[in-house]
Amino acid sequence: MVQDAERTTDDTTSGGRDNPGPGRPDPGIARIREAAAGVWADPWWTLPNLLSVIRLAGVPLFLWLLLGPQADLLALLVLVVSGITDWLDGKLARWLNQYSRIGELLDPAADRLYIIATLVAFVLRDVVPWWVAAALVLRDLVLTVCLPVLRWHGYEPPDVHYLGKAATFCLMYAFPLLLLVQEPFPFADVARPIAYAFTCWGGALYLWAGILYLGQVVVAVRQARAKPV
């Protein structure tokens, strides 16, 4: 559920309907600045964050390998390395106690960028229909727009839902398999239906998780507006 990060004081009302007096800053803007200050105050140069930055740097390389030389096996290697670093940065954050807000933002951002880059390449190479990619990309765009709305009303972004994790898991398995079946190899006929099954399951779960996140945002905004001034 969306966590209420709103802070109230004796002389400041809450819920996004504040009416600041003359010379008093808008409380909504103050809350956004407060959240941004918290991100910048976090430790940046940590080993988990470095791995997340490496994952992000691999996105343009991955896209170039798919669209330029169409070196699918090398692109698959980049995707595998990304998956390993994704698992490793979470483990290191727990082992070294190096949690940070910027790390929490970088990790899902890398996942989303890999998904979007893969979908763009697959559409351009006629691997998946354009409307499938458009639906998944639109889902991410809508949720991205919701984040500043939540901040404005004093809420943190929603926690990652288990359906969202399952959807990302399915898509991260589907994409390598889809890359494999583009190359001639002995088990391509066996891998092809598995690849498209993971794509269908992952895509459906991805959209459903997006609807659940959007519902959480709507409930949070309504609760904020319903609070007395």
Side-chain angles (χ1 to χ4, degrees):
M1 185 61 188
V2 179
Q3 298 175 352
D4 192 349
E6 196 171 19
R7 300 181 181 180
T8 58
T9 59
D10 293 334
D11 58 346
T12 303
T13 57
S14 60
R17 302 193 309 171
D18 312 79
N19 186 20
R24 184 181 298 175
D26 191 322
I29 296 176
R31 284 195 293 267
I32 294 175
R33 288 175 178 170
E34 218 172 74
V39 171
W40 284 100
D42 269 346
W44 280 64
W45 297 111
T46 64
L47 189 53
N49 288 355
L50 176 61
L51 291 178
S52 295
V53 170
I54 292 174
R55 288 182 66 215
L56 285 170
V59 173
L61 173 62
F62 174 71
L63 190 58
W64 176 77
L65 288 171
L66 287 177
L67 296 179
Q70 295 191 3
D72 293 340
L73 293 180
L74 289 177
L76 178 60
L77 179 61
V78 173
L79 202 58
V80 169
V81 171
S82 169
I84 293 172
T85 55
D86 185 22
W87 171 82
L88 190 58
D89 68 4
K91 290 291 185 182
L92 288 175
R94 287 189 289 272
W95 290 342
L96 303 176
N97 195 25
Q98 292 184 342
Y99 293 101
S100 65
R101 182 60 183 151
I102 189 64
E104 292 177 358
L105 297 175
L106 287 176
D107 195 45
D111 288 340
R112 299 296 176 269
L113 286 176
Y114 271 103
I115 289 174
I116 292 173
T118 306
L119 289 171
V120 168
F122 281 179
V123 168
L124 293 177
R125 292 179 53 177
D126 295 324
V127 177
V128 296
W130 68 267
W131 54 269
V132 173
L136 298 181
V137 172
L138 181 62
R139 178 259 196 199
D140 279 342
L141 289 177
V142 170
L143 294 186
T144 300
V145 171
C146 288
L147 293 180
V149 175
L150 284 173
R151 291 289 190 191
W152 178 263
H153 289 87
Y155 289 99
E156 291 291 330
D159 290 334
V160 178
H161 198 276
Y162 73 94
L163 281 180
K165 293 181 179 180
T168 303
F169 174 83
C170 288
L171 291 177
M172 288 304 182
Y173 269 88
F175 293 158
L177 289 173
L178 286 174
L179 282 176
L180 278 177
V181 298
Q182 305 307 309
E183 300 286 341
F185 75 102
F187 300 104
D189 292 336
V190 176
R192 187 170 289 106
I194 298 175
Y196 284 105
F198 268 111
T199 303
C200 293
W201 296 335
L205 289 175
Y206 202 68
L207 293 177
W208 181 241
I211 293 173
L212 293 180
Y213 288 135
L214 187 59
Q216 288 181 319
V217 172
V218 171
V219 169
V221 172
R222 285 179 177 176
Q223 288 178 348
R225 291 180 174 177
K227 290 180 180 179
V229 178

